[in-house]
Amino acid sequence: MDFISDELERFKGRGLLRGLRLLEGEQSSRVRIDGRDVILLSSNNYLGLASHPKVKERAIDAIKRYGCGAGASRLISGNMELHEELEKRIAEFKNTEAALIFNSGYTANIGVIAALCNKCDIVISDRLNHASIIDGSMISRAKTKRYPHKDIYALERALSSSSDYRRRLIVTDGIFSMDGDIAPLPDIVRLAERYSAFLMVDDAHATGVLGEGGRGTGEYFGIEEGIDIQMGTLGKAIGGFGAYIAGEKRLIDLLINKCRSFIYTTGLPPSVLASSLAALDILEEDGHDMRRRLWRNARYLRDGLIRLGFNTMGSETQIIPVLIGDSATTVKISEMLFEEGIYVQGIRPPTVPEGSSRLRITPMATHSIDDLSNALEAFEKVARCYRFSENPI
Ligand SMILES: *Cc1c(COP(=O)(O)O)cnc(C)c1O
């Protein structure tokens, strides 16, 4: 087993060793991490729903009524009332014929791509798509073509040179998870139609967040009809856990029959489903206000960071990267901010391309402007060190 120590040493030597941090208490915009009270700027709980009193209450009620576990996979005896209620609710929310719940976004992506494509097909994928899309493409054994980030011309070249494949699946993140920019969906939909390809959009970070009703990137651009397969997660802005695929009923029927990551796993527990149902109720009532606060906070923070001279890459959403470059420096800056009471996680390869290590900053709707101005002060302090030291950081 010595190879394990060797491998860990190699991670360490390259500034890429990862470790877990302990968050005490419940999820909130201010938390205690590793024994220190900090402003949390590294959570995908964008609207603060993870610990909303009504969400907690509904989850507790569901446990009292339905117990804790689903006991089996959905196709055996684990398909309970709340699974069907949530699926119906998501289909309404997304304006689609049907929806299917998955145990996580990761398992949705790996299963769905493999259920729809095999070695006769090609998956055409943005280079910065989430790891679960890359893994799903690999599992499917389809030919995979990754085009440069948001490069519509490269996408068109990939489409025009792939007419020999049986099926062509274009897949893209809606909001890119490490860059915070938005896919050029109107152009992608147009190309999918012109070349008879089908289109899957991963709205993990856009669900509950983008669009007038929080329905995601399709709504934001007014092109929901053009997206064949809409995936979203329930663990980020929705504040719970799990994921969904929304689309035509025949798509959902096929997935129930064929998608291995749906079939061969235990159904989500009732309390988890109830929390998503409660979160969707709250979104319907207060979503507009919550999103307004989230966008206000994101704009305040991004403008402040740019004013301090940081490079926020192409961020146009609540995900605000600050490009650092080198992995070890990124870790050091993240530690300096932590000492100042600001928790911002550094993101390193292989999550992002080599040489593009960054801080990934995510404000929440529940942060006050005070929280964010405190954070900007800490960033200013760090920027001063970083710029004026002989030996940066
Ligand atoms: C987080 C994320 C996923 C995975 O979703 P989980 O529910 O956390 O497994 C998939 N795709 C993207 C783009 C993500 O950011």
Side-chain angles (χ1 to χ4, degrees):
M1 297 288 278
D2 284 346
F3 74 94
I4 292 177
S5 318
D6 296 346
E7 217 170 295
L8 285 168
E9 276 308 315
R10 280 200 298 277
F11 274 114
K12 205 164 167 188
R14 287 154 57 213
L16 295 179
L17 192 67
R18 303 180 189 211
L20 295 169
R21 302 246 200 178
L22 179 66
L23 185 147
E24 291 167 56
E26 68 177 16
Q27 292 291 340
S28 173
S29 48
R30 284 171 171 264
V31 292
R32 195 169 176 80
I33 290 182
D34 284 352
R36 181 183 280 270
D37 292 317
V38 291
I39 296 170
L40 177 60
L41 285 172
S42 276
S43 171
N44 303 320
N45 174 27
Y46 300 121
L47 303 175
L49 286 169
S51 47
H52 192 291
K54 284 187 191 156
V55 172
K56 295 201 283 192
E57 196 181 298
R58 286 272 283 277
I60 293 164
D61 288 349
I63 290 180
K64 287 184 182 151
R65 177 140 180 223
Y66 297 105
C68 285
S73 69
R74 297 276 303 278
L75 280 164
I76 305 294
S77 62
N79 186 39
M80 302 174 74
E81 287 163 62
L82 290 180
H83 291 99
E84 301 217 342
E85 195 181 328
L86 181 56
E87 282 168 349
K88 197 158 155 277
R89 188 70 206 278
I90 290 171
E92 278 166 19
F93 173 62
K94 294 291 294 178
N95 274 332
T96 55
E97 265 178 23
L100 189 66
I101 296 166
F102 283 77
N103 289 8
S104 74
Y106 183 84
T107 60
N109 280 343
I110 61 168
V112 169
I113 296 173
L116 300 176
C117 296
N118 69 22
K119 59 185 193 310
C120 306
D121 308 315
I122 184 167
V123 177
I124 306 176
S125 178
D126 189 290
R127 189 174 289 284
L128 296 188
N129 277 344
H130 191 259
S132 53
I133 294 173
I134 298 170
D135 294 358
S137 311
M138 256 179 343
I139 292 170
S140 76
R141 290 176 225 244
K143 164 88 182 159
T144 304
K145 174 86 188 160
R146 294 173 71 191
Y147 59 92
H149 184 46
K150 298 205 297 187
D151 185 338
I152 280 300
Y153 301 102
L155 171 59
E156 174 147 30
R157 283 195 297 279
L159 285 163
S160 66
S161 64
S162 60
S163 49
D164 289 346
Y165 291 93
R166 182 187 60 168
R167 293 174 196 154
R168 292 182 281 182
L169 171 63
I170 304 171
V171 54
T172 182
D173 283 12
I175 294 178
F176 288 87
S177 54
M178 297 300 140
D179 292 69
D181 53 352
I182 304 174
L185 279 188
D187 291 334
I188 295 177
V189 166
R190 207 170 315 120
L191 287 177
E193 276 161 13
R194 185 177 317 150
Y195 288 92
S196 305
F198 66 120
L199 173 61
M200 172 168 172
V201 173
D202 174 338
D203 256 349
H205 294 279
T207 303
V209 166
L210 263 196
E212 193 54 27
R215 295 203 299 272
T217 38
E219 184 194 20
Y220 176 74
F221 286 116
I223 45 129
E224 287 162 296
E225 300 285 299
I227 307 171
D228 303 294
I229 304 159
Q230 298 194 65
M231 175 273 189
T233 53
L234 302 168
K236 290 173 179 163
I238 307 299
F241 188 62
Y244 64 81
I245 294 289
E248 292 181 25
K249 180 157 187 311
R250 59 185 178 178
L251 165 70
I252 302 307
D253 288 342
L254 184 68
L255 293 177
I256 291 171
N257 280 276
K258 211 177 155 193
C259 182
R260 295 171 66 88
S261 68
F262 172 83
I263 297 171
Y264 298 107
T265 192
T266 301
L268 281 184
S271 56
V272 169
L273 304 162
S275 69
S276 287
L277 280 162
L280 289 170
D281 282 351
I282 294 165
L283 271 187
E284 201 169 292
E285 271 192 23
D286 301 333
H288 207 75
D289 270 356
M290 293 168 132
R291 281 188 290 279
R292 202 165 39 75
R293 280 198 297 276
L294 178 64
W295 292 125
R296 178 202 66 177
N297 287 351
R299 200 170 309 116
Y300 180 84
L301 201 55
R302 188 169 45 238
D303 289 352
L305 288 164
I306 290 171
R307 219 175 303 118
L308 291 173
F310 288 105
N311 176 358
T312 59
M313 306 179 78
S315 167
E316 39 186 337
T317 64
Q318 78 283 10
I319 299 171
I320 310 172
V322 159
L323 182 65
I324 305 295
D326 170 64
S327 297
T329 312
T330 305
V331 172
K332 279 201 186 114
I333 296 182
S334 163
E335 279 166 4
M336 280 175 75
L337 289 166
F338 189 71
E339 294 301 315
E340 297 292 327
I342 308 298
Y343 184 64
V344 169
Q345 180 66 46
I347 309 285
R348 296 166 283 170
T351 308
V352 293
E354 207 62 56
S356 76
S357 286
R358 67 198 69 177
L359 303 166
R360 178 181 179 275
I361 307 164
T362 50
M364 299 162 58
T366 46
H367 281 116
S368 66
I369 289 293
D370 255 7
D371 292 335
L372 302 178
S373 75
N374 283 349
L376 286 172
E377 271 166 38
F379 271 99
E380 187 170 12
K381 220 167 180 178
V382 167
R384 232 179 286 132
C385 265
Y386 188 40
R387 244 178 253 132
F388 302 127
S389 142
E390 274 301 302
N391 184 8
I393 308 299

